[in-house]
Each structure stands twice: as structure tokens, then as C-alpha cells.
Amino acid sequence: MDEQKDDQIDQDDSTNNSEKEYIKAFYNKTWIERYGEPISTETVTLLWSVTVSIFSIGGLFGALSATLIIKVLGRKGTLLLNNSFAVIAAVLLSLGEMSRSFEMLIIGRLIMGVDSGIALSALPMYLGEISPKHFRGMIGQFNSILICLGVFTGQVLGMPELLGQESTWIYLFSFLALPAMLQLCVLPFLPESPRYLLMERRDEAGAEKAFQRFLGKKDVSQELEEVHMEARAQDKLHTVSVLQLLKSPAVRWQLITVIITMACYQLCGLNAIWYYTNGILREAGFTESILPYITLSTGAIETLAAIISGLVIERIGRKPLLIFGFFSMAVFFSLLTVFLNFQDRVSWMPYLSYVCILAVIASFCSGPGGIPFILTGELFEQSYRPAAFMIAGTVNWLSNFAVGLLFPFIQETLQSFSFLVFVAVCILGSIYLYVVLPETKNKTFMDISQSFAKINKMPIPSPGQEMELVLSINSDTNGKAQDATKMQTSL
């Protein structure tokens, strides 16, 4: 089901200049056919800007609607429904040129954004809830790995020898439907989240079967007991609203941590780094014809760093990887600023600048590129989780939109010193995470919640109280089973 994230190959950041020019040429051709005159520079720039930014707006709509859909359809049902958005978007984008309609491209981008917004909430939630605690981080990192693999796939398919030509660029969009079709074939055969079944649907038999299938063993009493403890310890067994989450003192610092981490995820400067990539390569003397091949290294570095992060996350932990990633980005952004200011004076300086760009990308994918979504699922117990993902998704997409809107003005004002803004964001994020964030590896959701009890000024239950909770919920369950048996006997 992780292949859903390959929808992210549609990201603007990986779109090279040739596809951008092809799309603008399509806008001009369509405009001439409709109105009998070439499109103005201002209008084509506006249409391109709308085409790019509408993806973030769709992502925001998706994030806001995900909680309601998850409540009605569950995690698995939401992911299955979400594939329809990917297929519809792929059809609109693929047929836009044939239909002579740039509106279809814009609407397709909007729907693709909705798909991504829902997926970035439902998928990490599902992965976190079906994973054993000692593999939860590694499985969660598949999210990031497949996003990076999707970007790299988009770069490869966009090569001039493949689909990166004026006559074939439109076919790139059809590949967006492939992950969705694959998920539609595979996901129906996988169980729903056992935690969702037990805590929200009260389906213990279904939860037990789901645990057995996911873990590959018959005795899952320990896993069921862990979920029972979490259920009994929660103040609210029903799914809370966003407003209730914002008001709850029991999760205040978890919420602040997720908001800051998700904001740093977008505001750390990775999206802005692509603004300089091709320019630095030209300064280094590379010709325009070989730039697409060299920029493949960015996608390869992204994928490799994400894979390495997935392999070591359960040994090193979430907190060290996040802090290392943000701090390393700050270091390499600082070096990049120095190199950019000297690259006109020293012939080999652009090569160092490009190495810094690769290092920034690797640093991002080593931790900040995937762990924020893992943390959003880990820091909250079951009843708070959907609302938490809605808030995290809202912060994510608004921050993404803000970077796209504000960075051109920052760059125009500060020029090569614009990356110092991101240095500040990365350093402040690292300091906050070092001071506030507890390590979550190999901990149950209840253990993680208790790690925040002190800073939230909430009482921590003693081991005896925890045992009482387990016995209480077990006796409740046995009592209900006996009542059901008596009722069937009387009938």
C-alpha cells in the first residue's frame, strides 16, 4: 500500500525546465486556438503559477477532509477510496492536451493534491497502527523511501530519450494511475488496522484476526492486552474533534511538537534548494543538454539517504536522526551561502556548491523527510490521532504554500544570503527537538504518552494502577461475553 506515495512524482520540485516550457507552449497554443492571438507573458505566468500552487491547495483540502473520511471508512477504506482521486487526476492530466484544455491540467493538479493530502494522513496512521513497536519506525520510513523513489522515477521518465520531449511529455501524467491501480489490487486482501477495529469499532474478534495476519502468529494476547490498556487509560474512547484536541491539556506539548516539527519539515528550505540547482550546474560549465542527467543524482541521493535512514532508525532512534538532519542542513546551507558568494571569482567553486546541494538533500532525507509523519502517529493515542493528523496536514500544506509564495521575494531581497533564513529555522528546530522531544523508539503508544505527562503536568499512573486498568477492562470484556452467551441461550 505504500506505493500510494509514488503519486508524489508529480511534485513541482522535480519538474525540469523542459517540461515547464512544454506546458507553457501548450497554454499558448490553446490560447491562440481559442482567441486567435498569442497569450501574454503575464497571463501565461499567472496560469503556470496557478498550476503549480493549486497542488498545495488540494493537499490542504485533502488533509482537512481526511479525518471525516477516516472516521466513516476507517484507515483501509480511506486509502482504497483515495485511489479514485489519483485515477481521476491521471485521466484529466493525460487528456488535457488532447482536449485542448489547460483547465483540465489545473483541475487534475488540484485533485492530485487532494489525493496526496489524504494519503499523507491515512497512510502513516495505518502503517503506525499495524506495525510492532520494534519495527514501527522502519516501516514508517517506507513512506519517505517511496516518495523519494517516486521523485527519482519521475526524473528518469522525464529524460529526453523517454518521455521528456514535446510530443510525449503529456504521457508522464498517466503513470500517476499506476500506484493507485496497484494498491487497488493489493490492499483489499490486507486487514484493517487492528487498533481501529478494537478501540473504535469494538470488534475484538476482527482485531485478533488482523493481529494474527499481520504478525504471522496465533497467540496475540499480548498485543490485544496492550491495546486494552491504552483504551482503558484514555479519557475519551471516542474520536475527539480538532477543537477538543486543541483544548486538551493532556496532549498540549505533543501537539506543539508536531506543529513545530511539521512546520520545520516544509520551512527548512529543501523546496527552495531546487531554485539554484540548474543555475549552479551551468556556472560549473555543464551544457544544457546534459543537465537532466546530472540532476538525476539529486533523486538518487534522496532515495539512498531515505533507505539508509530506514535501516538505522530502530537502532539510532527518531530524535537523533531528526536533530542530525536539521543541524546538518543548517551547516550545509551556511557553506552553500559562502560558496555562492565566491563562485564568480573561483572557477571550481560551483562544484562545491553542488556538493552542498546534494548534502542538504541527503541531510533532509536522513530524518526530517519522513520522521515527522511517524511522530504524528506515535505521539498521540488512538482517540486523538485523526485530529492530530488533520492539524499536522494543515500545517504541512500551509507551510508548503508559504514557501512557494514567499521564497521568490526573499530571494530577490537577500539574493545568495536567502538560505540564512533556513539556517535559522533548522537551528531553532534542532534546539526545540533536543529540549522537548522524548525518544519514541521501541515504546508503546501509552509509554510515549506518559513521557509527556510531566511537561503536560498530568499524573502518571503507577504500575499498580496500570494493572488495575488491565484487570478492569479484561473483566468488562469477559462480562460482555458472558452476557452475550446468556442472551443466545435464552433465545
Side-chain angles (χ1 to χ4, degrees), residues 333-348:
F333 270 136
S334 301
L335 291 174
L336 180 59
T337 301
V338 174
F339 296 154
L340 286 174
N341 279 280
F342 284 97
Q343 71 177 18
D344 292 333
R345 307 175 196 176
V346 184
S347 60
W348 43 265

Side-chain angles (χ1 to χ4, degrees), residues 30 32 82 100 116 183 192 333 394 406 415 422 439:
T30 304
I32 292 173
N82 198 37
R100 298 289 186 267
S116 296
Q183 190 180 93
E192 175 59 275
F333 270 136
T394 301
L406 298 177
Q415 298 296 322
F422 304 121
E439 181 52 65

